[in-house]
């Protein structure tokens, strides 16, 4: 005899149908996602994620599965774009839906880096920060106003090198900090252990630690953020509080300095002072000015450091490039003065050196992650809403079809020489894409150029010789959002007594 159906039977049957439907829909959807390495149930590709220099593994997966690679990390979809063509087609051309940022619970929410532009969600605050920055450094004309500061700081950099030639890393950090602090706050740094530079360095180091994937469980289980700080196992909350204090000081202390100077009418014009004077300050406006100035500092201090370091590294590794660039400067500028921005258009080979520095090792090999705001389809694939989309900038700039022999540092690839057209300008990719493109790109381009040009005019960069033996170096880079050359030794000496005199001539 057949037992009559109970409510429980009906509930179980309904659940089974719903589960089956979900599995079928998911696997149908999965079939429409781009290909990628096969992961495990639930955790997806978590165990296959590379621990360092992710851009190399992502590029390898691109060769194996096709340029667009799909990954799933505990259910979080991630899409890697390994070609410039796809990055432009999606992040540039469909920018209105590809411009959000993923939420980082430890770094963004608990510590407060979401107030810094790079992690600010796509919305009103994002637009306001970008508007303020565009007025100051948004184009070539705006940046031209800052040429005198950059030229003066380039000479100060040469002096620091001359005084402490063995402290290259520290000298470069001071130099980058000096430019951005002058522009953002009208602040002149102290030569020894500047308190603002030290504070910012600490905040940036904590940022790197806080946003390293897998470093904090709260990024995997966001509900943990509600745990009280005293709860056993909640030490991350206390760390977050401490690091939040550092970040707030990084934004507050220089801002207060400008206001103090303005009250005494002694301020040096800067991003902050100009906005505080100009803007009819409405509610919340001062907050935006303070945090966009801190965003300039956070975005500008560490990035150019890596590029300038790469410049020294490559001059050491490719001495023939250094010689040719110096010969070009000598023939155009002469040896009685240092190069200025007025010389730039007449120095195509030095321009090629700058482009190669930005291409050979892009400081942000994977840029910053974008977040897709709604479902999208592209070349027959489904890209789900909420997916994290990453452009493999390193791969775009090392694609052998676009840049033949990509590991060669060859400035001539950017010249129209011997009837050859220049290869694509790396600046079209290294600064990112769409509405999130680096707002500091013109400042970066000009400040790195003047630094390289003056260093080439004044110094020879050579291998260290010890006990008659040349110390060779093997170039190595750190992992992380901003990738730096690992420390290396080099000898930096004035090219002549005349060059040395020029450095101290002002
Ligand atoms: C070699 C130098 C630099 C390179 C290669 C570089 C590259 C980048 C890249 C790849 C991004 C992410 C773009 C995206 O999401 O698609 C970015 C964002 C950003 N950069 Fe730069 N950058 C450099 C220098 C600077 C400088 C000098 C500043 C400030 C003065 C700056 C400020 C920023 C800010 C605030 C963001 C966040 C933009 C946003 O989220 O809307 N960067 N940069």
């Amino acid at each position: 005899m057949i037992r009559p159906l109970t409510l429980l039977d009906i509930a179980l049957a309904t659940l089974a149908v719903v589960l089956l439907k979900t599995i079928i829909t998911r696997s149908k959807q999965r079939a429409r996602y781009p290909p990628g390495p096969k992961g495990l149930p639930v955790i997806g590709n978590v165990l296959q994620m590379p621990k360092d220099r992710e851009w190399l593994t992502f590029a390898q997966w691109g060769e194996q599965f096709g340029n667009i690679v799909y990954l799933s990390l505990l259910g979080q979809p991630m899409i890697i774009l390994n070609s410039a063509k796809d990055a432009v087609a999606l992040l540039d051309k469909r920018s209105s839906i590809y411009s959000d940022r993923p939420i980082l619970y430890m770094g963004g929410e608990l510590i407060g880096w979401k107030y810094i532009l790079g992690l600010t969600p796509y919305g009103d605050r994002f637009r306001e920060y970008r508007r303020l920055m565009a007025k100051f450094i948004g184009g070539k004309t705006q940046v031209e106003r800052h040429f005198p500061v950059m030229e003066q700081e380039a000479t100060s950099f040469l002096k620091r090198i001359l005084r402490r030639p063995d402290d290259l890393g520290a000298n470069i950090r001071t130099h980058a900090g000096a430019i951005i602090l002058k522009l953002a706050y009208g602040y002149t740094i102290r030569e020894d252990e500047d308190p603002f530079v030290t504070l910012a360095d600490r905040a940036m180091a904590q940022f790197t630690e806080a946003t390293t994937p897998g470093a904090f469980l709260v990024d995997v289980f966001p509900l943990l953020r509600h745990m009280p700080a005293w709860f056993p196992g909640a030490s991350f909350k206390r760390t977050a509080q401490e690091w939040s204090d550092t970040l707030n000081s990084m934004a507050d202390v220089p801002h207060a300095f400008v206001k103090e100077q303005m009250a005494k009418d002694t301020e040096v014009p800067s991003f902050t002072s100009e906005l505080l004077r100009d803007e009819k300050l409405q509610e919340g406006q001062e907050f935006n000015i303070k945090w966009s100035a801190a965003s300039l500092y956070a975005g500008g201090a560490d990035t150019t450091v890596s590029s300038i370091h790469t410049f020294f590294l490559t001059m050491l590794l490719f001495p023939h490039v250094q010689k040719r660039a110096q010969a070009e400067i000598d023939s155009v500028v002469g040896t009685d003065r240092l190069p200025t921005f007025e010389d730039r258009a007449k120095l195509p080979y030095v321009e090629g050196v700058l482009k190669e520095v930005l291409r050979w090792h892009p400081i942000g090999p994977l840029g910053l992650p974008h977040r897709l705001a709604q479902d999208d389809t592209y070349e027959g694939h489904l890209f789900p809403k909420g997916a994290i989309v990453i452009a493999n900038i390193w791969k775009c700039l090392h694609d052998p079809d676009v840049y033949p022999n990509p590991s060669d540092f060859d400035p001539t690839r950017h010249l129209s020489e011997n009837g050859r057209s220049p290869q694509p300008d790396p600046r079209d990719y290294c600064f990112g894409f769409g509405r999130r493109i680096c707002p500091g790109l013109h400042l970066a381009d000009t400040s790195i150029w003047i630094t390289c040009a003056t260093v080439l005019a004044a110094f020879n960069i050579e291998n260290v010789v010890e006990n008659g033996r040349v110390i060779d170096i093997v170039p190595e880079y750190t992992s992380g959002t901003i990738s730096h050359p690992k420390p290396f030794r080099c000898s930096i000496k004035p090219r002549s007594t005349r060059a040395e005199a020029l450095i101290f001539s002002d």
Side-chain angles (χ1 to χ4, degrees), residues 378-392:
Y378 178 68
E379 299 200 335
H381 299 303
L382 173 67
F383 288 16
K385 174 182 173 180
I388 293 175
V389 184
I390 290 179
N392 189 348

Side-chain angles (χ1 to χ4, degrees), residues 406-451:
S407 11
D408 286 357
F409 187 94
D410 178 11
T412 64
R413 65 169 85 240
H414 304 291
L415 306 177
S416 331
E417 261 188 354
N418 310 326
R420 207 179 55 174
S421 309
Q423 293 167 23
D425 190 334
R427 292 172 297 191
D428 291 343
Y429 312 128
C430 76
F431 291 111
F433 301 91
R435 295 180 195 182
R436 284 286 183 175
I437 195 168
C438 174
L441 72 102
H442 296 292
L443 181 62
D445 172 67
T446 43
S447 66
I448 300 169
W449 182 85
I450 192 74
T451 308

Side-chain angles (χ1 to χ4, degrees), residues 323-505:
K323 292 271 163 308
R324 183 163 165 188
Q326 287 171 328
E328 184 181 65
I329 291 174
D330 292 348
S331 72
V332 173
V333 180
T335 50
D336 293 334
R337 63 177 181 88
L338 291 169
T340 67
F341 284 109
E342 295 222 335
D343 303 308
R344 185 164 180 177
K346 289 169 263 157
L347 297 169
Y349 190 80
V350 175
E351 194 69 22
V353 171
L354 168 78
K355 288 182 185 171
E356 273 302 78
V357 164
L358 296 172
R359 185 198 69 80
W360 193 75
H361 188 81
I363 58 108
L366 297 174
L368 290 176
H370 292 227
R371 184 176 172 276
L372 177 57
Q374 63 184 59
D375 280 355
D376 192 22
T377 48
Y378 178 68
E379 299 200 335
H381 299 303
L382 173 67
F383 288 16
K385 174 182 173 180
I388 293 175
V389 184
I390 290 179
N392 189 348
I393 293 177
W394 182 88
K395 179 64 213 266
C396 298
L397 296 172
H398 283 252
D399 182 343
D401 293 335
V402 183
Y403 301 102
N405 303 317
S407 11
D408 286 357
F409 187 94
D410 178 11
T412 64
R413 65 169 85 240
H414 304 291
L415 306 177
S416 331
E417 261 188 354
N418 310 326
R420 207 179 55 174
S421 309
Q423 293 167 23
D425 190 334
R427 292 172 297 191
D428 291 343
Y429 312 128
C430 76
F431 291 111
F433 301 91
R435 295 180 195 182
R436 284 286 183 175
I437 195 168
C438 174
L441 72 102
H442 296 292
L443 181 62
D445 172 67
T446 43
S447 66
I448 300 169
W449 182 85
I450 192 74
T451 308
C452 297
T454 46
V455 167
L456 284 165
F459 292 117
N460 283 325
I461 304 157
E462 287 166 352
N463 286 95
V464 171
V465 179
E466 236 168 34
N467 304 326
R469 206 170 58 87
V470 176
I471 309 288
D472 279 328
I473 51 159
V474 181
E476 277 188 290
Y477 275 86
T478 63
S479 301
T481 307
I482 299 181
S483 169
H484 290 270
K486 292 195 178 164
F488 57 89
R489 292 175 65 195
C490 65
S491 145
I492 308 172
K493 295 209 180 98
R495 290 178 64 202
S496 61
T497 43
R498 199 184 181 80
E500 187 168 352
L502 272 184
I503 298 175
F504 288 105
S505 64

Side-chain angles (χ1 to χ4, degrees), residues 74 105-106 110 210 212-225 227 233 236:
L74 287 161
Y105 285 94
M106 182 66 180
L110 291 177
T212 301
F216 289 94
L217 215 54
V218 64
D219 281 314
V220 184
F221 303 109
L223 277 177
L224 290 178
R225 71 189 185 283
M227 272 167 97
F236 70 95

Side-chain angles (χ1 to χ4, degrees), residues 198-338:
T198 311
L199 187 57
D201 280 353
R202 182 144 39 97
M204 293 308 294
Q206 290 170 352
F207 171 78
T208 306
E209 244 187 276
T211 53
T212 301
F216 289 94
L217 215 54
V218 64
D219 281 314
V220 184
F221 303 109
L223 277 177
L224 290 178
R225 71 189 185 283
H226 301 299
M227 272 167 97
W230 51 262
F231 207 71
S235 63
F236 70 95
K237 290 281 290 251
R238 297 186 288 278
T239 307
Q241 186 54 56
E242 191 193 312
W243 291 0
S244 170
D245 293 344
T246 319
L247 172 62
N248 286 329
S249 304
M250 179 181 116
D252 290 339
V253 176
H255 185 78
F257 162 82
V258 180
K259 288 181 75 174
E260 220 178 279
Q261 300 294 307
M262 286 175 74
K264 293 188 276 182
D265 258 337
T266 53
E267 84 274 13
V268 173
S270 66
F271 174 80
T272 305
S273 72
E274 283 180 12
L275 288 172
L276 287 176
R277 277 223 191 286
D278 277 9
E279 298 271 328
K280 287 173 204 73
L281 290 186
Q282 285 158 9
E283 176 115 357
Q285 193 67 10
E286 190 172 345
F287 178 92
N288 288 339
I289 294 171
K290 182 175 79 177
W291 284 96
S292 39
S295 305
L296 283 183
Y297 193 21
D302 209 27
T303 43
T304 44
V305 167
S306 171
S307 292
I308 295 171
H309 227 146
T310 289
F311 161 72
F312 280 93
L313 177 65
T314 50
M315 291 307 97
L316 204 55
L317 293 169
F318 304 94
H320 64 283
V321 171
Q322 187 181 169
K323 292 271 163 308
R324 183 163 165 188
Q326 287 171 328
E328 184 181 65
I329 291 174
D330 292 348
S331 72
V332 173
V333 180
T335 50
D336 293 334
R337 63 177 181 88
L338 291 169

Side-chain angles (χ1 to χ4, degrees), residues 11-164:
L12 283 175
T14 316
L15 191 68
V17 171
V18 170
L19 267 176
L20 201 67
K21 256 185 104 178
T22 315
I23 290 169
I24 291 170
T25 321
R26 285 243 170 117
S27 56
K28 269 190 187 157
Q29 275 189 338
R30 178 70 192 88
R32 292 191 57 204
Y33 294 154
K38 198 168 159 36
L40 294 171
V42 186
I43 61 167
N45 304 100
V46 167
L47 300 180
Q48 290 145 303
M49 285 301 274
K51 299 261 177 303
D52 60 6
R53 295 186 298 161
E54 299 87 329
W55 55 93
L56 296 180
T57 309
F58 291 167
Q60 249 169 34
W61 284 343
E63 271 149 37
Q64 203 177 334
F65 299 104
N67 274 332
I68 305 176
V69 176
Y70 181 88
L71 302 167
S72 167
L73 306 175
L74 287 161
Q76 167 64 59
M78 185 184 266
I79 291 157
I80 314 290
L81 306 173
N82 276 303
S83 85
K85 170 184 132 310
D86 296 327
V88 170
L90 295 168
L91 305 182
D92 269 355
K93 301 265 160 66
R94 300 185 190 177
S95 196
S96 62
I97 57 169
Y98 279 87
S99 292
D100 205 359
R101 294 283 192 220
I103 298 177
L104 300 181
Y105 285 94
M106 182 66 180
E109 302 294 311
L110 291 177
I111 300 177
W113 282 92
K114 66 177 175 187
Y115 298 117
I116 291 282
L117 177 59
L119 291 195
T120 297
Y122 185 59
D124 288 344
R125 196 170 63 228
F126 159 83
R127 274 183 280 275
E128 181 60 0
Y129 283 10
R130 301 229 29 146
R131 182 183 76 81
L132 298 177
M133 288 184 185
K135 279 168 80 171
F136 196 69
I137 49 168
K140 291 195 168 122
T141 327
Q142 285 80 353
V143 166
E144 264 174 33
R145 279 176 58 207
H146 312 309
F147 281 178
V149 169
M150 287 186 250
E151 285 173 351
Q152 196 194 344
E153 286 301 337
T155 319
S156 303
F157 179 53
L158 302 184
K159 286 180 185 149
R160 279 184 212 112
I161 294 184
L162 214 48
R163 279 191 213 110
R164 288 181 296 157

